[in-house]
Amino acid sequence: MMSRRDVLVAGGVAALACTSARARSAIEADVVVIGAGLSGLHAAAMLEAAGAKTIVIEGADRVGGRAHTLDDLPGHPDAGGIQVGSFYTRLITVAQRLGVALQPGGEFDRSALYVVRGQTVAQGDWPTSAANRLVGPERAIPPMALAPALGRRMGHLPDTAAWMTAAGQKLDIPYGTALKAAGASDEAIRLIAANLGSGDINAVSALNAARSAAIFQSAGPDASLRVITGGSQRLPEAMAAALRSDLRLGQLVTGISEGADQVRIDLASGRAIAARHVICTIPFAALRPLGLSGASAEAMKPVIAGLPYTHASFAYLSASAPFWNQDGLPRTIWSDDPLIGRVFVLGDDPAMLKVWLSGPDADAIDRLTPADAGAAIIARLETARPSAQGKLRLERMFSWQRDPLARGVFHHLGAGQWPLLTRAVTATGQRLHFAGDHLAQLASGLEGALESGERAAKTVIEKL
């Protein structure tokens, strides 16, 4: 007969075995890719081509991530992933292979109508305007051009990889401090901060601007921009359609646990998926609330917790007529007004505008109902540009930070974060690997997403 102690020991062993069985789920695939944006889909295609059994899971009910086209709005405007640079070699190659067309577009207007300190000023009148409180030679620089003009005085990076070297570390100081050291006036710094996307310009690293400039300059003097015909989401849709692997939408991840020989993914549905390797492309801002365990996650914990993401909210407005073609003023508006921010013409037929609000301005507009937000924005636009009166209607308010799968439109480097991000973009996981545009080494945006996904896929293929 078993003693009470024997019974307790036997029960404990059985419980431990059950717990171990739950923790070690049956492996369903060689690799699970979390996220069906460009990074995840590109990685999945490479893994599939290498013969790896691959499953792609996506929390949303669509593919694309932040390459998102609002197909229910007039003109099918993009909410993210808009510009395709002529140096986006990976993207151009993938698009050509899949038959996804690119067309000219995405260029910003060189001239703008300025609404500064409540005054509307044409660009030609800016140098002598009472709204212009810049100092000395700065007065000749339009507000939209201040950041690149003054940035050239801060120091530059010789190439796109230099940000990861000592040259980049030297530039990793508060952006406002760097501008001040370069001779910028307080008013210049205020205007640059107005549409920067961060509540505090000194919370952003000067390296962030220098890296963007180096990427732009790498394109050379003949650089041009294009857009994806039909909207940015057409590319990830084509990438997903070309996959033979299992693609599962609506799979919200709640936790990721890395073990010695597998990675387990817990889902909101209560199910779990296990694979030999996992590539996680969730933006860090959206990844933070999830339960992560294992050596690879532990190594990335500081950058996951600390990398900031820019908040951005958009108002999509339809117009009864393209008044911007009739009043003799520039099409684009640039403003320090928290209800206007930047205004872009999306097209003349249908006549559509996009109002882009960033940082604290985006957070403030998010606190209003869509109807109240649209009414406030339209009223302010009608005051700034009288030809708009009675012609605008709100079609949609859109907020990236309210999307739990994004929590921001894109990442930026916080002041003092050079050590964190340089370690992260060169890190190699054991069985859990991270990818996404936030971990690109040489590119940014759509191309950066592809670059990072490609690097993660190559790492996993070598380990399989």
Side-chain angles (χ1 to χ4, degrees), residues 104-126:
E107 298 279 0
F108 290 123
D109 291 337
R110 302 292 182 181
S111 180
L113 181 67
Y114 291 100
V115 182
V116 176
R117 297 185 179 276
Q119 300 181 49
T120 300
V121 185
Q123 185 157 304
D125 298 328
W126 174 252

Side-chain angles (χ1 to χ4, degrees), residues 41 44-56 97 238-247:
L41 291 170
M46 293 179 62
L47 291 163
E48 184 180 273
K53 182 181 179 182
T54 305
I55 297 173
V56 180
R97 175 169 54 83
M239 294 169 73
L243 284 178
R244 298 185 304 277
S245 300
D246 190 6
L247 170 59

Side-chain angles (χ1 to χ4, degrees), residues 369-458:
T369 66
D372 288 345
I377 290 169
I378 289 172
R380 197 64 59 87
L381 280 173
E382 289 180 338
T383 299
R385 191 166 193 160
S387 61
Q389 291 180 5
K391 297 184 176 70
L392 295 173
R393 184 181 73 178
L394 176 68
E395 296 290 343
R396 169 84 63 84
M397 293 297 302
F398 185 94
S399 168
W400 275 115
Q401 56 277 7
R402 282 192 164 182
D403 181 347
L405 301 180
R407 297 299 185 193
V409 64
F410 44 70
H411 76 283
H412 60 267
L413 188 65
Q417 290 188 329
W418 177 86
L420 283 181
L421 195 56
T422 50
R423 283 197 297 268
V425 301
T426 56
T428 301
Q430 296 180 12
R431 291 189 176 274
L432 174 58
H433 315 269
F434 296 91
D437 66 300
H438 47 287
L439 291 174
Q441 293 180 2
L442 305 179
S444 62
L446 299 172
E447 182 72 4
L450 294 172
E451 176 207 310
S452 178
E454 181 176 298
R455 189 171 65 253
K458 288 179 177 178

Side-chain angles (χ1 to χ4, degrees), residues 6 14 56 69 74 114 171 177 180 197 239 274-275 327 336 399 447 462:
D6 292 335
V56 180
T69 302
Y114 291 100
L171 290 167
T177 300
K180 193 72 174 176
M239 294 169 73
D327 61 8
D336 62 355
S399 168
E447 182 72 4
E462 290 175 358

